[in-house]
Amino acid sequence: MKVAGFTFIRNAVKNDYPVVEAITSILPICDEFVVALGNSDDETEQLIKGINSPKVKIIHTVWDESLREGGSVFAVETDKAFNAISPDADWAFYIQGDECVHEQYLPVIKKAMEDNLSNMRVEGLLFKYLHFYGSYDYYGHSRRWYRREIRVLRNNKAIHSYRDAQGFRWGDRKINVKLIDAYIYHYGWVKPPKGLENKLRNFNQFYHDDNWLAENLPQTFEFSYHNADRLLPFTGTHPAVMQPRIAATNWNLNIDQDKLKKQMNFRRKVLQKIEDLTGWRVSEYRNYKIIK
């Protein structure tokens, strides 16, 4: 069994993406790793080369600046990395530059790939998610956050990244996947308030035009944590590769949890209560089909 990891990245230093941690968190179970390195104006290339692994292969790409709707440029760049994977790879392990896998899950993931290698009905593996928000000590848990997504898929070039690269599809149809007991830790929203303001401006330029940005994210804009709905304390451990970054944290999260919950409208509160009691997320968006 051959496993290839892949990701895309641009301006990781300027935007403080933990891309090195993302790559190295899954590198032990990958035989190769393709990085689609976009046209950066910082030291991202040196950062990637600093991993110093013969498994890592960089391909240079140029982002299409005209793609400013729905984050479609992210899918385009993801496909560039996926298409550069060696044709003899069996599985492709996708990880984004702000995601990480705890080392405790690597044996689980590898076993799931081995167990399903010859079962061609299984076209991908579905992961659970923890979305850390504002701090390494809390994660967002509400209908605003997707609970699951595909991160391992067959090395089949009929498969492509979908919409803004959150998931994948085979042509026009959803991929058949197995849900595994492993988590992706998402750190994209772990920044001090000013860092989150910069993230929103940078992120939204790939979803909206300049007029929208000027109207919704003016220079006087101040980040609000209201999108969290609710934050739950994280009592587990973070991946070992993240420990130096966490140790360097120099801000505290000051959020009124009760105020957050009160901002949820009645409908969201009811739907959240149903999920808490039953585990069922009503009308959940699923860009995949779970099979037994």
Side-chain angles (χ1 to χ4, degrees):
M1 183 179 74
K2 183 174 181 179
V3 180
F6 69 109
T7 193
F8 73 95
I9 194 66
R10 181 188 184 191
N11 288 333
V13 177
K14 180 184 293 186
N15 295 303
D16 194 28
Y17 283 113
V19 64
V20 169
E21 292 87 345
I23 294 170
T24 54
S25 74
I26 68 170
L27 201 57
I29 60 172
C30 294
D31 298 287
E32 67 176 35
F33 199 106
V34 175
V35 180
L37 176 59
N39 47 313
S40 302
D41 51 15
D42 62 9
E43 298 75 38
T44 300
E45 183 166 3
Q46 294 90 322
L47 196 68
I48 302 300
K49 287 182 176 179
I51 296 173
N52 195 28
S53 169
K55 296 180 181 181
V56 176
K57 178 177 73 172
I58 295 174
I59 63 168
H60 292 89
T61 69
V62 177
W63 286 32
D64 186 346
E65 303 286 352
S66 68
L67 297 177
R68 299 188 64 175
E69 184 176 350
S72 58
V73 69
F74 302 142
V76 170
E77 293 301 311
T78 296
D79 285 340
K80 290 177 183 177
F82 181 45
N83 290 330
I85 286 172
S86 298
D88 62 339
D90 299 293
W91 294 107
F93 196 155
Y94 178 57
I95 194 160
Q96 294 189 346
D98 58 3
E99 298 177 339
C100 222
V101 174
H102 197 294
E103 58 273 12
Q104 68 182 331
Y105 296 118
L106 295 182
V108 176
I109 299 166
K110 184 175 181 179
K111 186 175 188 304
M113 289 190 286
E114 291 172 341
D115 291 347
N116 293 285
L117 182 61
S118 60
N119 183 0
M120 302 309 292
R121 289 183 63 243
V122 179
E123 298 160 351
L125 301 178
L126 190 68
F127 287 69
K128 302 172 185 178
Y129 264 76
L130 283 178
H131 299 277
F132 293 92
Y133 195 72
S135 164
Y136 294 105
D137 298 324
Y138 295 92
Y139 62 96
H141 188 276
S142 78
R143 294 174 57 82
R144 293 183 187 271
W145 305 93
Y146 51 93
R147 294 194 299 170
R148 302 163 178 169
E149 198 46 83
I150 302 165
R151 282 299 176 262
V152 170
L153 54 145
R154 296 276 178 189
N155 185 23
N156 181 334
K157 297 311 188 282
I159 295 174
H160 63 90
S161 186
Y162 186 65
R163 291 187 176 174
D164 63 350
Q166 181 177 315
F168 296 87
R169 287 203 175 183
W170 185 325
D172 293 327
R173 74 166 174 83
K174 297 179 180 180
I175 295 175
N176 295 319
V177 299
K178 277 200 173 180
L179 175 63
I180 65 174
D181 191 20
Y183 281 84
I184 298 290
Y185 289 12
H186 178 211
Y187 293 109
W189 295 98
V190 180
K191 300 178 189 295
K194 283 297 179 183
L196 288 171
E197 290 171 17
N198 293 333
K199 173 188 170 69
L200 276 178
R201 289 192 178 92
N202 175 66
F203 188 71
N204 277 285
Q205 69 176 308
F206 300 108
Y207 286 81
H208 305 287
D209 61 23
D210 290 338
N211 290 332
W212 187 97
L213 292 175
E215 181 178 345
N216 292 275
L217 297 172
Q219 290 303 312
T220 56
F221 166 79
E222 292 187 5
F223 185 81
S224 168
Y225 291 91
H226 71 276
N227 280 335
D229 272 354
R230 63 176 185 171
L231 297 176
L232 300 182
F234 178 64
T235 58
T237 62
H238 290 275
V241 295
M242 287 293 297
Q243 294 304 325
R245 181 177 284 265
I246 294 170
T249 301
N250 61 358
W251 74 92
N252 294 315
L253 184 64
N254 297 311
I255 294 181
D256 187 332
Q257 297 274 23
D258 292 333
K259 186 178 179 181
L260 271 184
K261 294 177 184 177
K262 290 177 181 177
Q263 289 176 338
M264 294 175 66
N265 61 37
F266 178 74
R267 177 179 179 274
R268 296 181 75 84
K269 288 179 180 178
V270 170
L271 293 175
Q272 189 62 62
K273 178 60 71 173
I274 292 172
E275 181 179 335
D276 291 343
L277 293 174
T278 68
W280 172 40
R281 180 168 288 186
V282 180
S283 301
E284 180 178 18
Y285 172 73
R286 296 185 179 185
N287 184 38
Y288 47 79
K289 182 179 180 181
I290 299 177
I291 61 175
K292 300 297 183 181

